Amino acid sequence: MKFIIRSALSGVRTAVPVEVMAVSNNGGVSPIGTVTVRPLVNATDGASVAWPHAEIANVPYMRIQGGSNAVILDPQVGDIGIATVCDRDISGVKNVGGAANPGSTRKHDMSDMVYLMTIIGAAPTQYVQFNSSGISIVSPTAVNITAPTANVTTTGNVSVTAGGSATVQAASAVIKAASIKLQNAGSALLSLLNSAFATWAQNHVHSNGNGGANTGIPTTTPPSSSQTSVVQAE
């Protein structure tokens, strides 16, 4: 009796490790796609001869998605992951994208597989990391954020460090701060302002509203450098 039960249960598939051989999507903004996978645990016969499995195509894969909100992270060729095998034929559901009758009487067949996620992989080079230190977003190429409105709120400090140049484009900009320090650029700006102000101050005159002669140019020279309590050049 145990032999009969075990023989019957041997045909029941639950979860299977697989290798991704092909992917319909490439990380773009698109509906959830499919993968072609190869089961990694070979079949063996009574003489312990291994029989590798054939590839299984048109396998749906799982995405973290709710409505139109999603984390797009498509599988890639070479990924080794885990797939679950549905207990009934799901071909009708895949075709219509909703409730449907089973396409056949098959049960626990690897043709009705769904790829879940990667289980074996090297250290990533692009990732979102959550740990006790906080959240890190790392990319070797670029991080792009697109939205009608973007807000950053913090109760502490904010630091932006750029290894190259930094550009801010806006129709208008408002900066509210108790003080603004311009560092090295401040010295050049202060020198430019002082030069422009000195040129204007040393050459301006006032007219006499009663028809008399204009005043002469100032006889004192403005200081060569200065700062206010709001904007400082360092």
Side-chain angles (χ1 to χ4, degrees), residues 146-182:
T146 302
T149 302
N151 302 303
V152 177
T153 302
T154 175
T155 57
N157 298 327
V158 175
S159 176
V160 178
T161 303
S165 60
T167 302
V168 177
Q169 295 181 347
S172 63
V174 177
I175 300 176
K176 296 180 180 180
S179 64
I180 301 174
K181 297 183 179 181
L182 301 178

mmCIF file of all heavy atoms in Angstrom, residues 146-182:
data_model
loop_
_atom_site.group_PDB
_atom_site.id
_atom_site.type_symbol
_atom_site.label_atom_id
_atom_site.label_comp_id
_atom_site.label_asym_id
_atom_site.label_seq_id
_atom_site.Cartn_x
_atom_site.Cartn_y
_atom_site.Cartn_z
ATOM 1 N N THR A 146 10.646 60.590 -12.018
ATOM 2 C CA THR A 146 9.757 61.416 -12.832
ATOM 3 C C THR A 146 8.391 61.504 -12.155
ATOM 4 O O THR A 146 7.785 60.469 -11.857
ATOM 5 C CB THR A 146 9.588 60.830 -14.247
ATOM 6 O OG1 THR A 146 10.882 60.723 -14.858
ATOM 7 C CG2 THR A 146 8.697 61.726 -15.102
ATOM 8 N N ALA A 147 7.926 62.704 -11.899
ATOM 9 C CA ALA A 147 6.630 62.893 -11.255
ATOM 10 C C ALA A 147 6.185 64.336 -11.452
ATOM 11 O O ALA A 147 7.016 65.229 -11.646
ATOM 12 C CB ALA A 147 6.710 62.577 -9.762
ATOM 13 N N PRO A 148 4.871 64.598 -11.441
ATOM 14 C CA PRO A 148 4.397 65.987 -11.528
ATOM 15 C C PRO A 148 4.902 66.832 -10.367
ATOM 16 O O PRO A 148 5.207 68.008 -10.518
ATOM 17 C CB PRO A 148 2.872 65.845 -11.486
ATOM 18 C CG PRO A 148 2.600 64.442 -11.913
ATOM 19 C CD PRO A 148 3.754 63.635 -11.417
ATOM 20 N N THR A 149 4.994 66.226 -9.181
ATOM 21 C CA THR A 149 5.480 66.923 -7.992
ATOM 22 C C THR A 149 6.382 65.989 -7.213
ATOM 23 O O THR A 149 6.073 64.809 -7.054
ATOM 24 C CB THR A 149 4.314 67.366 -7.090
ATOM 25 O OG1 THR A 149 3.430 68.204 -7.838
ATOM 26 C CG2 THR A 149 4.826 68.135 -5.882
ATOM 27 N N ALA A 150 7.512 66.494 -6.737
ATOM 28 C CA ALA A 150 8.424 65.703 -5.918
ATOM 29 C C ALA A 150 8.731 66.481 -4.637
ATOM 30 O O ALA A 150 9.085 67.662 -4.699
ATOM 31 C CB ALA A 150 9.714 65.403 -6.673
ATOM 32 N N ASN A 151 8.569 65.825 -3.513
ATOM 33 C CA ASN A 151 8.801 66.461 -2.220
ATOM 34 C C ASN A 151 9.787 65.642 -1.400
ATOM 35 O O ASN A 151 9.670 64.421 -1.338
ATOM 36 C CB ASN A 151 7.483 66.591 -1.437
ATOM 37 C CG ASN A 151 6.439 67.388 -2.195
ATOM 38 O OD1 ASN A 151 6.666 68.533 -2.560
ATOM 39 N ND2 ASN A 151 5.297 66.784 -2.440
ATOM 40 N N VAL A 152 10.742 66.324 -0.798
ATOM 41 C CA VAL A 152 11.683 65.685 0.120
ATOM 42 C C VAL A 152 11.574 66.412 1.455
ATOM 43 O O VAL A 152 11.806 67.620 1.532
ATOM 44 C CB VAL A 152 13.133 65.755 -0.404
ATOM 45 C CG1 VAL A 152 14.089 65.141 0.613
ATOM 46 C CG2 VAL A 152 13.251 65.037 -1.744
ATOM 47 N N THR A 153 11.199 65.682 2.500
ATOM 48 C CA THR A 153 11.028 66.278 3.817
ATOM 49 C C THR A 153 11.886 65.530 4.817
ATOM 50 O O THR A 153 11.863 64.305 4.864
ATOM 51 C CB THR A 153 9.552 66.214 4.264
ATOM 52 O OG1 THR A 153 8.741 66.881 3.298
ATOM 53 C CG2 THR A 153 9.375 66.894 5.606
ATOM 54 N N THR A 154 12.659 66.261 5.595
ATOM 55 C CA THR A 154 13.501 65.635 6.609
ATOM 56 C C THR A 154 13.518 66.513 7.851
ATOM 57 O O THR A 154 13.414 67.736 7.755
ATOM 58 C CB THR A 154 14.936 65.427 6.089
ATOM 59 O OG1 THR A 154 15.745 64.921 7.150
ATOM 60 C CG2 THR A 154 15.531 66.729 5.574
ATOM 61 N N THR A 155 13.625 65.885 9.002
ATOM 62 C CA THR A 155 13.733 66.644 10.248
ATOM 63 C C THR A 155 15.188 66.957 10.579
ATOM 64 O O THR A 155 15.464 67.685 11.525
ATOM 65 C CB THR A 155 13.116 65.841 11.414
ATOM 66 O OG1 THR A 155 13.772 64.569 11.503
ATOM 67 C CG2 THR A 155 11.629 65.622 11.178
ATOM 68 N N GLY A 156 16.114 66.381 9.793
ATOM 69 C CA GLY A 156 17.535 66.639 10.010
ATOM 70 C C GLY A 156 18.160 67.347 8.831
ATOM 71 O O GLY A 156 17.529 68.196 8.179
ATOM 72 N N ASN A 157 19.388 66.991 8.518
ATOM 73 C CA ASN A 157 20.133 67.646 7.447
ATOM 74 C C ASN A 157 19.894 66.960 6.106
ATOM 75 O O ASN A 157 19.511 65.799 6.039
ATOM 76 C CB ASN A 157 21.636 67.631 7.764
ATOM 77 C CG ASN A 157 21.964 68.388 9.039
ATOM 78 O OD1 ASN A 157 21.311 69.368 9.367
ATOM 79 N ND2 ASN A 157 22.965 67.922 9.764
ATOM 80 N N VAL A 158 20.162 67.693 5.041
ATOM 81 C CA VAL A 158 20.112 67.166 3.682
ATOM 82 C C VAL A 158 21.446 67.465 3.020
ATOM 83 O O VAL A 158 21.925 68.600 3.053
ATOM 84 C CB VAL A 158 18.967 67.799 2.860
ATOM 85 C CG1 VAL A 158 19.020 67.306 1.419
ATOM 86 C CG2 VAL A 158 17.619 67.460 3.474
ATOM 87 N N SER A 159 22.053 66.453 2.424
ATOM 88 C CA SER A 159 23.343 66.626 1.761
ATOM 89 C C SER A 159 23.266 66.088 0.342
ATOM 90 O O SER A 159 22.758 64.988 0.120
ATOM 91 C CB SER A 159 24.441 65.893 2.544
ATOM 92 O OG SER A 159 25.679 65.978 1.866
ATOM 93 N N VAL A 160 23.746 66.871 -0.615
ATOM 94 C CA VAL A 160 23.827 66.454 -2.010
ATOM 95 C C VAL A 160 25.281 66.565 -2.442
ATOM 96 O O VAL A 160 25.858 67.648 -2.407
ATOM 97 C CB VAL A 160 22.928 67.316 -2.923
ATOM 98 C CG1 VAL A 160 23.086 66.873 -4.372
ATOM 99 C CG2 VAL A 160 21.476 67.230 -2.487
ATOM 100 N N THR A 161 25.879 65.453 -2.845
ATOM 101 C CA THR A 161 27.281 65.432 -3.254
ATOM 102 C C THR A 161 27.378 64.957 -4.689
ATOM 103 O O THR A 161 26.839 63.901 -5.034
ATOM 104 C CB THR A 161 28.107 64.495 -2.357
ATOM 105 O OG1 THR A 161 27.976 64.917 -0.998
ATOM 106 C CG2 THR A 161 29.572 64.506 -2.754
ATOM 107 N N ALA A 162 28.018 65.720 -5.539
ATOM 108 C CA ALA A 162 28.172 65.364 -6.950
ATOM 109 C C ALA A 162 29.652 65.326 -7.298
ATOM 110 O O ALA A 162 30.392 66.275 -7.008
ATOM 111 C CB ALA A 162 27.452 66.372 -7.848
ATOM 112 N N GLY A 163 30.081 64.214 -7.919
ATOM 113 C CA GLY A 163 31.475 64.118 -8.339
ATOM 114 C C GLY A 163 31.774 65.005 -9.528
ATOM 115 O O GLY A 163 32.910 65.416 -9.744
ATOM 116 N N GLY A 164 30.731 65.323 -10.324
ATOM 117 C CA GLY A 164 30.877 66.223 -11.462
ATOM 118 C C GLY A 164 30.083 67.490 -11.235
ATOM 119 O O GLY A 164 29.932 67.955 -10.108
ATOM 120 N N SER A 165 29.550 68.040 -12.315
ATOM 121 C CA SER A 165 28.786 69.275 -12.218
ATOM 122 C C SER A 165 27.364 68.980 -11.769
ATOM 123 O O SER A 165 26.873 67.856 -11.887
ATOM 124 C CB SER A 165 28.756 69.985 -13.571
ATOM 125 O OG SER A 165 28.142 69.154 -14.549
ATOM 126 N N ALA A 166 26.691 69.976 -11.244
ATOM 127 C CA ALA A 166 25.303 69.865 -10.800
ATOM 128 C C ALA A 166 24.486 70.942 -11.500
ATOM 129 O O ALA A 166 24.900 72.103 -11.579
ATOM 130 C CB ALA A 166 25.199 70.014 -9.290
ATOM 131 N N THR A 167 23.335 70.563 -12.025
ATOM 132 C CA THR A 167 22.478 71.488 -12.758
ATOM 133 C C THR A 167 21.074 71.438 -12.188
ATOM 134 O O THR A 167 20.522 70.355 -11.984
ATOM 135 C CB THR A 167 22.428 71.129 -14.253
ATOM 136 O OG1 THR A 167 23.758 71.151 -14.782
ATOM 137 C CG2 THR A 167 21.561 72.114 -15.016
ATOM 138 N N VAL A 168 20.501 72.594 -11.927
ATOM 139 C CA VAL A 168 19.109 72.702 -11.483
ATOM 140 C C VAL A 168 18.374 73.591 -12.480
ATOM 141 O O VAL A 168 18.760 74.748 -12.686
ATOM 142 C CB VAL A 168 19.004 73.300 -10.067
ATOM 143 C CG1 VAL A 168 17.540 73.461 -9.676
ATOM 144 C CG2 VAL A 168 19.725 72.419 -9.059
ATOM 145 N N GLN A 169 17.360 73.054 -13.118
ATOM 146 C CA GLN A 169 16.564 73.810 -14.082
ATOM 147 C C GLN A 169 15.155 74.001 -13.526
ATOM 148 O O GLN A 169 14.502 73.031 -13.149
ATOM 149 C CB GLN A 169 16.510 73.085 -15.426
ATOM 150 C CG GLN A 169 17.853 72.969 -16.130
ATOM 151 C CD GLN A 169 17.753 72.261 -17.467
ATOM 152 O OE1 GLN A 169 16.751 71.642 -17.779
ATOM 153 N NE2 GLN A 169 18.807 72.343 -18.256
ATOM 154 N N ALA A 170 14.709 75.236 -13.475
ATOM 155 C CA ALA A 170 13.388 75.525 -12.930
ATOM 156 C C ALA A 170 12.890 76.841 -13.496
ATOM 157 O O ALA A 170 13.673 77.728 -13.849
ATOM 158 C CB ALA A 170 13.438 75.587 -11.408
ATOM 159 N N ALA A 171 11.560 76.966 -13.605
ATOM 160 C CA ALA A 171 10.968 78.232 -14.042
ATOM 161 C C ALA A 171 11.236 79.319 -13.016
ATOM 162 O O ALA A 171 11.446 80.483 -13.350
ATOM 163 C CB ALA A 171 9.471 78.053 -14.270
ATOM 164 N N SER A 172 11.254 78.949 -11.752
ATOM 165 C CA SER A 172 11.613 79.860 -10.673
ATOM 166 C C SER A 172 12.118 79.021 -9.512
ATOM 167 O O SER A 172 11.822 77.832 -9.415
ATOM 168 C CB SER A 172 10.413 80.713 -10.235
ATOM 169 O OG SER A 172 9.383 79.877 -9.720
ATOM 170 N N ALA A 173 12.889 79.635 -8.636
ATOM 171 C CA ALA A 173 13.448 78.911 -7.497
ATOM 172 C C ALA A 173 13.339 79.777 -6.250
ATOM 173 O O ALA A 173 13.585 80.982 -6.289
ATOM 174 C CB ALA A 173 14.906 78.538 -7.765
ATOM 175 N N VAL A 174 12.947 79.163 -5.161
ATOM 176 C CA VAL A 174 12.848 79.848 -3.878
ATOM 177 C C VAL A 174 13.682 79.070 -2.870
ATOM 178 O O VAL A 174 13.497 77.862 -2.706
ATOM 179 C CB VAL A 174 11.384 79.933 -3.393
ATOM 180 C CG1 VAL A 174 11.323 80.591 -2.021
ATOM 181 C CG2 VAL A 174 10.547 80.711 -4.399
ATOM 182 N N ILE A 175 14.633 79.750 -2.237
ATOM 183 C CA ILE A 175 15.471 79.130 -1.218
ATOM 184 C C ILE A 175 15.239 79.867 0.097
ATOM 185 O O ILE A 175 15.449 81.073 0.183
ATOM 186 C CB ILE A 175 16.963 79.192 -1.601
ATOM 187 C CG1 ILE A 175 17.203 78.458 -2.922
ATOM 188 C CG2 ILE A 175 17.823 78.595 -0.495
ATOM 189 C CD1 ILE A 175 18.624 78.545 -3.425
ATOM 190 N N LYS A 176 14.776 79.120 1.096
ATOM 191 C CA LYS A 176 14.535 79.710 2.406
ATOM 192 C C LYS A 176 15.530 79.106 3.391
ATOM 193 O O LYS A 176 15.525 77.904 3.618
ATOM 194 C CB LYS A 176 13.104 79.427 2.870
ATOM 195 C CG LYS A 176 12.036 80.063 1.984
ATOM 196 C CD LYS A 176 10.640 79.738 2.505
ATOM 197 C CE LYS A 176 9.579 80.369 1.632
ATOM 198 N NZ LYS A 176 8.207 80.070 2.113
ATOM 199 N N ALA A 177 16.405 79.950 3.939
ATOM 200 C CA ALA A 177 17.408 79.465 4.879
ATOM 201 C C ALA A 177 17.883 80.610 5.746
ATOM 202 O O ALA A 177 17.873 81.779 5.321
ATOM 203 C CB ALA A 177 18.587 78.839 4.137
ATOM 204 N N ALA A 178 18.276 80.290 6.961
ATOM 205 C CA ALA A 178 18.801 81.331 7.856
ATOM 206 C C ALA A 178 20.103 81.902 7.327
ATOM 207 O O ALA A 178 20.398 83.082 7.486
ATOM 208 C CB ALA A 178 19.000 80.748 9.256
ATOM 209 N N SER A 179 20.904 81.069 6.654
ATOM 210 C CA SER A 179 22.139 81.534 6.048
ATOM 211 C C SER A 179 22.479 80.642 4.873
ATOM 212 O O SER A 179 22.070 79.481 4.817
ATOM 213 C CB SER A 179 23.296 81.543 7.052
ATOM 214 O OG SER A 179 23.570 80.216 7.471
ATOM 215 N N ILE A 180 23.211 81.192 3.921
ATOM 216 C CA ILE A 180 23.637 80.455 2.735
ATOM 217 C C ILE A 180 25.139 80.627 2.591
ATOM 218 O O ILE A 180 25.631 81.759 2.524
ATOM 219 C CB ILE A 180 22.925 80.963 1.462
ATOM 220 C CG1 ILE A 180 21.414 80.808 1.611
ATOM 221 C CG2 ILE A 180 23.412 80.202 0.233
ATOM 222 C CD1 ILE A 180 20.628 81.422 0.462
ATOM 223 N N LYS A 181 25.877 79.537 2.554
ATOM 224 C CA LYS A 181 27.322 79.581 2.382
ATOM 225 C C LYS A 181 27.668 79.089 0.986
ATOM 226 O O LYS A 181 27.312 77.981 0.604
ATOM 227 C CB LYS A 181 28.010 78.721 3.441
ATOM 228 C CG LYS A 181 27.787 79.214 4.868
ATOM 229 C CD LYS A 181 28.544 78.374 5.881
ATOM 230 C CE LYS A 181 28.334 78.902 7.285
ATOM 231 N NZ LYS A 181 29.077 78.101 8.295
ATOM 232 N N LEU A 182 28.364 79.913 0.241
ATOM 233 C CA LEU A 182 28.672 79.606 -1.147
ATOM 234 C C LEU A 182 30.032 78.956 -1.334
ATOM 235 O O LEU A 182 30.400 78.633 -2.457
ATOM 236 C CB LEU A 182 28.598 80.893 -1.981
ATOM 237 C CG LEU A 182 27.241 81.613 -1.968
ATOM 238 C CD1 LEU A 182 27.325 82.880 -2.792
ATOM 239 C CD2 LEU A 182 26.148 80.708 -2.496
#
